[in-house]
Each structure stands twice: as C-alpha cells, then as structure tokens.
Amino acid sequence: MAVKNLGDFTALEPFFHIIGQGLDGLVDGDHFFEWFTDDVVTEYVVTVPDYPRKVEGLEALAELYRGYGDTMTAESADGLAVHHDRETSVVVLEYVVHGRAVATGRPYDNHFVSVITIRDRKITHWRDYLDPLAVFDAIGAAVPVRRAETGTGS
C-alpha cells in the first residue's frame, strides 16, 4: 500500500529525517511510510490521553499522522542514539523532536525512545515512548492528575 498525498505530512519532516538517519542501511524505501510493512503494528506505551495505544496497519498509521500538523509542527530533531541488536533485528532509537504547538505557539521539545523490529528490511513493529508532560506544556493543557485510592481499613 502506498501512502498518498505525502505533502499532508510536511509538519513531520524533521521526525522522518531523524528516523531515516537512525535506520540508514537497515530498511528499504525513500520515505518514512515506505519503510513499513502493510500490516505493521505500532504501540504507544507512554503517551497522552485520548491517543490510541495500538494502531494496526500502515494505512491506519498514516491516517493518525496525517493530522499531526493541525496540532504540532516539528522544526528540528536531534540527540540521536542508535542501539542495534543484529541477532533480534531490533533497533532502539533515542531522539528529541523540537517544534511548536499550532494553537499556542509554545515550544515543543519532546524526548522519544522508539523500539523498532525489522524483518526483510521493513518495519514490522514499532513501540514508542514519549514525555507526555512536554505535550501538555506545549498545548497549554492542564496535566491530568489521578489521585490514588486509599482504603480506610474500616
């Protein structure tokens, strides 16, 4: 499946670029969405409320990212560290994405860890961890707080 209208994803270009650097020589294709199998599974382990925890398939992943520019615009990415286990075909990327929240104009600086499984030079599984507080700060949202339930012992 080819993702159409790649121009819809320009707000993510710095993210795509740093991932490309981290996976250089390990995956086939010229664009981020060409690096995945059609049935890729993407998991967001540490994320923000109302964001999906699991996305199945390349088409669903592209649709999730298509609206990114409505909320955030990535301006740069750096801090890349690559950890590659050749025996398991797992690559762990650590990186930072810098940008701005569209609605507030506030800076967005988020640290990520992406655990990526590659088979036959395509990404089959992606597990992502990010700093949700960086998102809340950029969009000007209150941080949701859960109070621990306590028993009274009565």
Side-chain angles (χ1 to χ4, degrees):
M1 184 215 99
V3 173
K4 296 179 177 144
N5 302 323
L6 292 178
D8 292 350
F9 303 96
T10 56
L12 284 162
E13 284 301 322
F15 164 71
F16 295 156
H17 182 73
I18 202 155
I19 299 302
Q21 287 178 338
L23 298 179
D24 188 38
L26 300 175
V27 293
D28 290 333
D30 295 324
H31 189 276
F32 179 80
F33 293 115
E34 294 176 1
W35 304 332
F36 293 86
T37 60
D38 287 343
D39 61 348
V40 65
V41 173
T42 307
E43 296 180 89
Y44 301 94
V45 179
V46 178
T47 187
V48 295
D50 299 325
Y51 206 75
R53 293 288 180 181
K54 186 175 185 179
V55 175
E56 296 185 28
L58 177 57
E59 187 174 332
L61 178 64
E63 286 312 305
L64 177 66
Y65 285 174
R66 192 175 302 280
Y68 183 85
D70 296 338
T71 305
M72 297 282 187
T73 300
E75 297 171 346
S76 64
D78 56 31
L80 179 64
V82 179
H83 313 279
H84 183 195
D85 184 335
R86 295 181 197 291
E87 288 183 24
T88 63
S89 297
V90 172
V91 178
V92 177
L93 302 180
E94 300 177 64
Y95 51 97
V96 183
V97 174
H98 309 279
R100 297 222 168 259
V102 173
T104 65
R106 287 181 172 180
Y108 172 69
D109 299 290
N110 206 333
H111 294 256
F112 292 83
V113 175
S114 298
V115 181
I116 302 164
T117 303
I118 300 170
R119 299 276 185 264
D120 300 321
R121 300 188 57 79
K122 293 288 182 185
I123 298 168
T124 61
H125 189 263
W126 181 296
R127 192 168 56 249
D128 219 28
Y129 301 82
L130 62 84
D131 177 4
L133 297 179
V135 176
F136 292 129
D137 187 47
I139 65 174
V143 176
V145 177
R146 289 188 197 169
R147 294 184 182 262
E149 292 184 31
T150 57
T152 59
S154 1

